[in-house]
Amino acid sequence: LLLHPSVTGARPADRQSGVGINAAINAEVSLPNRGRSINPATVTPANVRLFRTSDHHPVPSRVNTSGGGDIIVLKPLDLLEANTQYTFEIVPAVQDDGGAGFTYYQSTFTTAAGKSDFTYPLAFTRVELPVTAGQMAPAITIGPDHRLYAAAFGGAIARYEINADGTLQKPQTITTMLAKNHGPRLVTGLRFDPSSTSSNLVLWISHGQMEMKNAQEWTGKISRLSGADLTEYQDFVINLPRSTQNHLNNQMDFGPDGAMYFAHASNTAMGARDSEWGYRPERLLTAAILRLDTKGIASPPLDAKTEEGGTYDPSAPGAPLTIYATGVRNAYDLVWHSNGKLYAPVNGSAAGGAAPASHLVLQGHVRYEGPAVPGIAKVTQTMDDTLLTVEKDAYYGHPNPARGEYVLFGGNPTSGPDPQEVLQYPVGTLPDRNYHRPSFEFGKDLAPTGIIEYKSRAFGGALQGKLLVTRYSGGKDVVIISLGAGGEILDCVSGVEGMSRLHDPVDLVEDTTSGFIYISELGGGCISLLKPAEGRASAHAFRQGHADRNEARAN
C-alpha cells in the first residue's frame, strides 16, 4: 500500500510578509514510502507553480528537486514584484519514484515593499555553446594543453578545443575510464596534476559505482589517466566508502604541500543510520576532508577499506591517505586559495535525518570521552548550507560515531540564541570540543556545489582573488564572495548579470588566460560560457553579509 507524500512546510512560510524579490521557494516534504524519493521527472512547471494571487498571472520559473530527491525548489526566472502577494502550489501530479502522488499543497507570501537590490559594478555575458548540447557534466576542468575537459556521469570524457573567442569545437571523446572499469562509473571530480604539462598530461579522477539508489558500499576510487590522449589508466585508491545514494568521494584540489585534498561525503543525513539512506552507518573516512599523498603510494592501488574486513588505518605512521578535517557532510568541491587557505561549500541536510546518541566504547581504538550526548530520532530542522574555511583537525558539525563525534553542529548550550544551535537537544548540550563554526551561512536548500578562485585581471582586477560558487538548487546561479586581508568572508553577492537564471549549475572553471568562465548546467544538459562584459554593470544585485541571519531562531 503506497502512502501519499506531502509538503510539510515551505520557505517563505505560508502568509509570510517582507519576502525578498529575489526569493526562491523551497518545499520540505514527507516521504512516507520507505526508500522512495521525489521523482524528478514529475517536478515540472505544470505541477509546481507560482502565480500572482490577485489575477493568477503565472511567474516563469525553473523547478527541480535536490540531488537527494528530498525537497522541491522553485526559482523565478526574473525578480518578483515588490509589495505583491504570490501563491505557491504543488499538485498531486508530483510523485515519488514509486508512483505515489503528493497531497495537494498551497501557500501564499507577500514580497517586501522596500528596495533591496543595488548596482554591482561588473557583469558577464552568457554565451550558449551548441557543441555541448546533451553534455551532463558533473565535473569540468581546463588542462595544461588549454583544452576544456568535461566528464559525463558514466565516465566518458569530452575534450574540447577552445577557440580564441571562448567558444568550443566539437569534442573528442575519451573512453578509457569505461573500458578499464568494464562499464560506466559515476564521476564526481577531475583535476590535473600540478606536474602536468601540455606534452605530459596527468589527470586525476574521483569516481564511484554508477548508481544513485541502493549503491554498493566500498566502491569509491581515485584513479589516474595519462598519455597524450589519456589512454593509460591506473587505480590509485580503491574501496573508498559509499552511501546508498549520491554521497561519495567528491572533487579534489592540490594543496601548497603538493598533496591532493578531496571531500568525502557522509553516508547519512545527520550522522545516525536512517531509512532514507538505507541504514548505512558512517565510516571512518566519511563526512571528512581527506589528504592523499599520491607520491606516497609506492604500489598502487591503495586499499582504503577501513571496516567490514578492511584494515586500513589513516592514523598509522606514514599512511598516504589521512583525515585532514571532519564533520563535513557533503562538500562537492573545495579550493586552495592563493592566500593559503582551504575553502569548501557544504550542503546541509533537509529535515528528517537522525542524530546519534553517544556511547563510550567504539570500533577499534576510538573511544569517546566527552559528556553524554542524547540522540535525536528525527531532526525537524533543515540545516544551513555553509562555506567552511577548513582547518586541519577541526570538526564542522556532522556527527560520525566511527570517529567518536556525536554533537550535531553547535548543540544547544544555553537557553538563549546560540550559533548553529539544534533546538531539539536539551539546553546544556555543548558542541563538540573541537567544533569550528562555518565561515559563512548561505541559507537553506541552495545547494552550493562548485567553487573556484577567480584569477584573471579582467575588470581591471576587480574580481581577482574572489571566490565564485555555483548554487545548484535554490540559487541556480553563481555568487561572488569577497575575502578580507586575513582570508575572512566579507560578503556574498548574487544577481550579477550573466551569472543568474542558470539551469542547475553544478561545476565551473576559469580560463585564466582570458577570464572566461565555463559553467556546467546539469539541468540544461550543457556547458555555458560567461564572458566578462567590460564597461557594463549589473542593475539588480543582492548582497548578503557575513552576519546576516536567514531565518529567525523560532524557525
Side-chain angles (χ1 to χ4, degrees), residues 376-391:
I376 305 175
K378 186 173 183 178
V379 179
T380 57
Q381 287 176 241
T382 290
M383 298 297 143
D384 282 321
D385 296 331
T386 60
L387 180 65
L388 308 181
T389 306
V390 182
E391 298 182 28

Side-chain angles (χ1 to χ4, degrees), residues 125-132 142 146-149 159-171 511 513-519 527-532:
T125 299
R126 180 178 176 273
V127 179
E128 294 185 359
L129 301 172
V131 296
T132 70
I142 291 177
H146 197 238
R147 294 161 166 163
L148 178 71
Y149 291 78
R159 176 160 72 180
Y160 297 91
E161 299 284 348
I162 301 175
N163 298 319
D165 64 355
T167 59
L168 305 176
Q169 298 179 21
K170 289 185 178 180
D511 181 350
T513 64
S514 62
F516 296 169
I517 300 170
Y518 295 89
I519 308 285
I527 298 170
S528 298
L529 167 65
L530 303 187
K531 300 177 72 169

Side-chain angles (χ1 to χ4, degrees), residues 321-547:
L321 178 65
T322 56
I323 299 172
Y324 185 76
T326 64
V328 183
R329 178 184 181 268
N330 184 22
Y332 186 69
D333 199 1
L334 40 68
V335 64
W336 277 98
H337 194 276
S338 57
N339 63 14
K341 295 184 181 295
L342 176 61
Y343 297 93
V346 180
N347 282 241
S349 177
S358 62
H359 52 92
L360 292 179
V361 180
L362 303 173
Q363 305 174 45
H365 61 277
V366 182
R367 182 178 177 86
Y368 178 69
E369 297 177 346
V373 180
I376 305 175
K378 186 173 183 178
V379 179
T380 57
Q381 287 176 241
T382 290
M383 298 297 143
D384 282 321
D385 296 331
T386 60
L387 180 65
L388 308 181
T389 306
V390 182
E391 298 182 28
K392 189 177 187 304
D393 297 327
Y395 169 69
Y396 290 97
H398 181 92
N400 186 334
R403 293 192 294 259
E405 299 162 343
Y406 291 101
V407 185
L408 183 63
F409 289 97
N412 190 14
T414 74
S415 58
D418 297 301
Q420 292 283 295
E421 66 186 348
V422 178
L423 296 174
Q424 286 171 269
Y425 280 130
V427 172
T429 303
L430 299 176
D432 187 276
R433 58 187 173 182
N434 199 30
Y435 176 62
H436 285 48
R437 292 173 55 189
S439 297
F440 186 79
E441 298 172 13
F442 289 103
K444 303 182 191 302
D445 302 328
L446 293 160
T449 47
I451 182 171
I452 61 171
E453 175 191 356
Y454 195 78
K455 296 183 177 180
S456 161
R457 289 200 57 81
F459 310 111
L463 205 56
Q464 195 172 43
K466 296 185 188 294
L467 296 173
L468 306 186
V469 179
T470 56
R471 300 193 300 182
Y472 174 85
S473 289
K476 302 191 187 303
D477 58 7
V478 178
V479 295
I480 299 172
I481 296 174
S482 298
L483 304 177
E488 70 277 13
I489 310 300
L490 298 180
D491 63 22
C492 173
V493 171
S494 60
V496 172
E497 184 179 335
M499 292 181 149
S500 301
R501 303 180 63 171
L502 303 177
H503 200 163
D504 306 341
V506 68
D507 199 16
L508 76 170
V509 65
E510 179 197 1
D511 181 350
T512 56
T513 64
S514 62
F516 296 169
I517 300 170
Y518 295 89
I519 308 285
S520 176
E521 299 188 54
L522 209 59
C526 66
I527 298 170
S528 298
L529 167 65
L530 303 187
K531 300 177 72 169
E534 301 284 359
R536 279 221 316 264
S538 299
H540 300 289
F542 298 84
R543 176 176 284 114
Q544 179 186 348
H546 169 65

Side-chain angles (χ1 to χ4, degrees), residues 254-261 291 336:
F254 283 87
D257 59 353
M260 177 193 295
Y261 292 77
R291 179 187 182 275
W336 277 98

Side-chain angles (χ1 to χ4, degrees), residues 193-263:
D193 194 278
S195 68
S196 287
T197 65
S198 58
S199 59
N200 181 30
L201 297 177
V202 178
L203 178 64
W204 294 94
I205 304 182
S206 182
H207 57 110
Q209 182 188 14
M210 187 60 218
E211 290 289 343
M212 302 295 277
K213 291 280 189 181
N214 302 315
Q216 296 175 11
E217 201 170 8
W218 312 111
T219 54
K221 293 183 181 182
I222 302 291
S223 305
R224 187 183 72 180
L225 297 181
S226 57
D229 289 318
L230 300 177
T231 54
E232 299 174 29
Y233 177 91
Q234 175 69 63
D235 288 330
F236 262 68
V237 181
I238 61 173
N239 288 333
L240 287 166
R242 167 70 189 271
S243 74
T244 59
Q245 298 189 41
N246 61 348
H247 283 193
L248 62 158
N249 41 294
N250 288 328
Q251 304 234 34
M252 66 282 271
D253 198 15
F254 283 87
D257 59 353
M260 177 193 295
Y261 292 77
F262 65 96

